[in-house]
């Protein structure tokens, strides 16, 4: 089985699309009987159709491991939610003109930044007071996020203070965000669960990623590959480093290590 991050691994950041070489590599895995499962910070309603056509899996890992679900039926195989009241308290502690907040349910985003543009493919509800909405939320909450304006220098200080919050785990996939999850909701734990669902040992799992939030996934897998555009901290824990996402490093890794074809 190959588990892999999406943005920065198969999709260049901000592009929303993978290359033809990546699609061909995933199709080759399907033909070889290799399971290929995305393990992303994305929510199920952000699952790209372009990938659904070529992956070989029933289940996809979403929201940094907060839930494992079938993208076609919505069936949830495993989940770890966050308490919306505790998230509201956390948002209340860290607010300001340079910080805005976002929360992910199974069907939508809640977002308190009115300058952020809504797209047709991503259902977003913009609210004036996300804290008040969370305090009255009547649906499961899987992930929350802090976002920082481009000229903000608040992120390092917020990250440092968040270390004292035992109710959550924190990670970052982008230079301007901090992601908030249940402590059990990590990509590594989700990979372990997915492997067990398929009756595989972790020695039969290869993981490919590019961000700090991919570290637990790479540590869990029997063989770990870091993208060439990864930070040095991720490259140090990987068994191999491939080329960058712009140079089809994902496809190169698939052919070399999963399919064992140069």
């Amino acid at each position: 089985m190959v588990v892999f991050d999406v943005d920065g691994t198969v999709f260049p950041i901000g592009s929303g699309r993978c290359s033809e070489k990546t699609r061909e590599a995933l199709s080759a895995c399907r033909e070889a009987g290799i399971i290929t499962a995305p393990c992303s910070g994305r929510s199920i309603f952000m699952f790209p159709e372009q990938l659904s056509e070529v992956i070989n899996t029933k289940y996809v890992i979403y929201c940094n491991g907060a839930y494992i679900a079938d993208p076609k039926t919505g069936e949830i195989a495993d989940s770890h939610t966050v308490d919306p009241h505790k998230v509201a308290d956390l948002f209340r502690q860290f607010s300001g003109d340079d910080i805005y907040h976002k929360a992910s349910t199974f069907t939508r985003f809640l977002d308190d930044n009115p300058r952020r543009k809504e797209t047709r493919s991503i259902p977003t509800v913009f609210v004036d007071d996300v804290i008040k909405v969370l305090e009255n939320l009547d649906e499961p909450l899987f992930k929350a996020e802090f976002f920082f304006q481009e000229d903000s220098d608040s992120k390092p200080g917020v990250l440092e203070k968040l270390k004292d919050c035992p109710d959550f785990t924190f990670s970052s996939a982008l230079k301007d965000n901090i992601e908030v999850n249940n402590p059990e909701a990590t990509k590594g734990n989700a990979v372990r669960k997915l492997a067990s669902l398929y009756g595989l040992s972790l020695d039969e799992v290869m993981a490919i990623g590019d961000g700090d939030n991919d570290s637990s996934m790479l540590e869990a897998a029997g063989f770990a590959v870091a993208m060439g555009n990864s930070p040095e901290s991720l490259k140090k824990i990987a068994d191999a480093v491939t080329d960058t996402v712009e140079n089809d490093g994902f496809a190169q890794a698939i052919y070399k290590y999963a399919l064992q074809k140069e």
Side-chain angles (χ1 to χ4, degrees):
M1 178 168 70
V2 178
V3 292
F4 56 93
D5 179 52
V6 174
D7 296 285
T9 298
V10 295
F11 289 177
I13 297 294
S15 76
R17 295 190 66 81
C18 60
S19 70
E20 188 58 33
K21 288 184 178 179
T22 293
R23 288 171 56 84
E24 290 172 355
L26 288 168
S27 295
C29 284
R30 175 188 284 172
E31 293 173 7
I34 296 173
I35 297 164
T36 50
C39 181
S40 173
R42 289 177 176 236
S43 300
I44 192 168
F45 50 80
M46 294 177 66
F47 189 77
E49 183 64 27
Q50 191 188 23
L51 277 183
S52 67
E53 299 169 352
V54 288
I55 58 174
N56 182 33
T57 183
K58 178 178 180 180
Y59 297 112
V60 172
I61 298 169
Y62 300 99
C63 283
N64 295 333
Y67 58 99
I68 301 172
D70 183 333
K72 296 180 179 178
T73 67
E75 171 201 350
I76 296 178
D78 188 56
S79 68
H80 302 280
T81 59
V82 287
D83 185 330
H85 296 281
K86 291 182 178 180
V87 171
D89 289 340
L90 193 69
F91 281 175
R92 190 177 289 109
Q93 293 177 53
F94 301 99
S95 299
D97 293 337
D98 61 338
I99 303 174
Y100 61 96
H101 313 92
K102 193 173 181 179
S104 302
T105 72
F106 195 74
T107 59
R108 59 182 176 151
F109 285 133
L110 301 169
D111 195 326
D112 65 4
N113 179 17
R115 287 174 287 181
R116 195 171 174 86
K117 293 182 179 180
E118 182 178 6
T119 65
R120 294 180 182 177
S121 60
I122 303 176
T124 303
V125 177
F126 291 99
V127 297
D128 293 329
D129 189 345
V130 71
I131 294 173
K132 183 177 180 180
V133 173
L134 289 174
E135 289 176 336
N136 294 280
L137 194 67
D138 60 357
E139 57 186 309
L141 188 67
F142 292 99
K143 187 176 78 167
E145 293 176 83
F146 293 96
F147 276 90
F148 301 86
Q149 301 294 353
E150 289 185 5
D151 58 350
S152 173
D153 58 0
S154 299
K155 181 177 175 179
V158 172
L159 266 175
E160 183 63 29
K161 292 177 181 177
L162 289 176
K163 291 179 181 179
D164 298 325
C165 299
D167 293 321
F168 306 102
T169 186
F170 304 95
S171 60
S172 180
L174 304 170
K175 64 180 181 180
D176 64 344
N177 87 328
I178 298 173
E179 302 178 5
V180 182
N181 282 99
N182 183 304
E184 295 299 314
T186 67
K187 289 190 176 185
N189 284 343
V191 166
R192 294 182 184 93
K193 178 65 177 181
L194 188 62
S196 70
L197 288 173
Y198 279 114
L200 297 174
S201 72
L202 291 172
D203 289 338
E204 298 174 281
V205 178
M206 182 172 91
I208 310 176
D210 75 291
D212 288 331
N213 65 337
D214 295 321
S215 60
S216 65
M217 175 177 72
L218 267 61
E219 289 171 340
F223 190 78
V225 180
M227 297 294 292
N229 45 285
S230 302
E232 289 302 315
S233 58
L234 197 69
K235 293 177 181 178
K236 287 180 180 179
I237 66 173
D239 297 298
V241 177
T242 187
D243 210 331
T244 64
V245 63
E246 290 81 8
N247 291 329
D248 290 308
F250 174 83
Q252 292 179 40
I254 289 291
Y255 285 116
K256 184 173 183 179
Y257 303 115
L259 297 171
Q260 298 184 345
K261 296 178 181 179
E262 291 293 342

